[in-house]
Amino acid sequence: MIDILRRVDRLPKISLCLAVLAALAGTACAQIFGNTAAVVNGNRVTQKQLNAELPIIRASQQGQTLSDQEAQRQALIAVIENELFLEVAKQKHIVPTPGAIAQRLQELKSQFPDEATFEQQVNNLITRSLQSQLAPPVTADEVQTVYNQQKAQFRQIKVEHILFAVSQTKTAAQALKQANDTLAQLKAGANFATLAKKLSDDPGTKSTGGKIEQWLNVSDQNLDQAFAQAAWAAPIGKLTGPVRSAFGYHIIITLEKRYQPLAEVSSTIKSNLEQQVGTRVLADFITGIVKKAKIVVNPRYGDWDAATQSIVGHQFFRPAPGESPSQSPAPGLTLPEPTTSP
């Protein structure tokens, strides 16, 4: 048959042979794979596993629209990686304890009662265990370095303020006039707390005379940045304003400023560093095990491309190394003897 396929003077018969082989191969592949989506190092990945992963892939797209084919391919890649993950976890004896699984399952029942999400959380437990094994420990010196480099992120203030809110019943011009009138009274000696209780439109601080009891993180994006930056720049104890924020106009007195001590933030910095280092090391590790794995994908989804670690469109005839597509022999349909994953 190979000799016939390679002779260019018998094109009509080649076309017939190709059609027959393609039809036979399609039937053979369906019989071989059945409900198997892929075979990974001899272990079957089932259609059920693929279907369970699809909603997770869809939910992670954040508004992007994937074709059904691309969604299936991405889901299958995720399932293949999960299979390899579990394989490595068994080899390294990384198995979440029954207590950890039970606790996580209990947490998930009220939020994500489906099996796919639970399996994803089990994989997350394995991920964290692998990260802790593979990544070098974060040192105190590394934590100190990050703290020094990012010290501006740890600026904190304590303030009191009076808000004149811009609303449907009060224009910006009216709010600004109120703020300026009140500022003049304060400069003339009026009591700040008394005016705040009387005039402030901030229900959260009106009763406390305008004082915000807790430290505010200047870099917190939930805090209006015009307000925060003005308060940080203001001299301690001096009247500042009117300052325009998203809410209206403020008169501010900055009571205290500080850089949050390292002792209060070291655990957060360390955790972030561990996550960053662990993610990088784990990504390299996954790339390595995927490259070494023997992966065969059900042709209905495409072909596994080891070079790009992706699933590409299925090609029945693939040229051997050094051959052009026109010289390609008919491929065999043999698969590794699969075993069912536990």
Side-chain angles (χ1 to χ4, degrees), residues 164 166 171-173 175 224-227 230 241-250:
F164 302 92
V166 175
T171 66
D224 186 279
Q225 284 301 294
F227 176 95
V243 174
R244 180 64 196 263
S245 76
F247 305 99
Y249 289 92
H250 304 258

Side-chain angles (χ1 to χ4, degrees), residues 77-322:
I77 290 171
V79 175
I80 288 170
E81 290 181 349
N82 286 344
E83 182 67 32
L84 290 169
F85 231 39
L86 292 171
E87 185 178 305
V88 171
K90 291 172 187 175
Q91 291 171 357
K92 292 181 173 288
H93 305 291
I94 301 173
V95 180
T97 65
I101 292 176
Q103 179 182 349
R104 194 61 182 141
L105 179 58
Q106 191 63 37
E107 292 170 359
L108 290 172
K109 278 183 178 177
S110 60
Q111 304 173 38
F112 309 104
D114 57 282
E115 180 183 350
T117 305
F118 171 62
E119 289 180 356
Q120 184 64 42
Q121 293 303 318
V122 173
N123 282 331
N124 289 343
L125 290 173
I126 295 172
T127 297
R128 289 194 288 272
S129 296
L130 268 176
Q131 284 177 330
S132 65
Q133 285 197 15
L134 297 171
V138 173
T139 67
D141 287 343
E142 289 172 326
V143 172
Q144 180 72 60
T145 297
V146 170
Y147 178 77
N148 293 340
Q149 291 174 343
Q150 300 180 5
K151 201 167 184 179
Q153 301 297 314
F154 306 114
R155 293 174 296 165
Q156 291 188 315
I157 49 175
K158 277 191 177 180
V159 301
E160 56 187 8
H161 79 126
I162 304 173
L163 170 64
F164 302 92
V166 175
S167 65
Q168 292 181 344
T169 59
K170 187 189 299 182
T171 66
Q174 290 171 331
L176 179 58
K177 184 178 186 305
Q178 276 188 305
N180 282 321
D181 290 346
T182 303
L183 184 59
Q185 293 180 58
L186 291 168
K187 288 180 177 179
N191 182 268
F192 190 94
T194 299
L195 289 183
K197 289 178 180 179
K198 180 181 178 181
L199 301 173
S200 182
D201 292 324
D202 179 7
T205 61
K206 189 180 182 77
S207 63
T208 63
K211 186 175 182 180
I212 300 174
E213 299 291 347
Q214 73 271 20
W215 287 103
L216 302 177
N217 293 316
V218 175
S219 299
D220 184 354
Q221 293 305 305
N222 293 317
L223 181 64
D224 186 279
Q225 284 301 294
F227 176 95
Q229 297 300 332
W232 177 261
I236 298 293
K238 300 293 184 182
L239 288 166
T240 300
V243 174
R244 180 64 196 263
S245 76
F247 305 99
Y249 289 92
H250 304 258
I251 297 172
I252 302 170
I253 296 180
T254 301
L255 303 173
E256 295 181 66
K257 302 180 193 179
R258 72 168 185 170
Y259 289 95
Q260 195 170 5
L262 176 60
E264 293 183 10
V265 297
S266 60
S267 61
T268 300
I269 295 174
K270 183 178 180 181
S271 177
N272 290 339
L273 282 174
E274 288 172 342
Q275 182 64 31
Q276 293 168 15
V277 174
T279 299
R280 185 170 61 250
V281 170
L282 190 61
D284 293 341
F285 178 76
I286 291 172
T287 298
I289 63 174
V290 172
K291 280 183 178 179
K292 294 176 183 177
K294 189 171 184 179
I295 299 168
V296 181
V297 170
N298 188 324
R300 79 174 68 168
Y301 303 112
D303 293 325
W304 178 255
D305 186 340
T308 61
Q309 299 188 17
S310 63
I311 297 173
V312 298
H314 176 61
Q315 297 179 37
F316 180 70
F317 288 102
R318 286 186 175 276

Side-chain angles (χ1 to χ4, degrees), residues 1 5 13-30 299 314-317 330-331 333:
M1 179 60 72
L5 290 174
K13 291 188 177 180
I14 291 176
S15 299
L16 179 59
C17 288
L18 290 175
V20 171
L21 283 171
L24 290 174
T27 302
C29 286
H314 176 61
Q315 297 179 37
F316 180 70
F317 288 102
L333 294 173

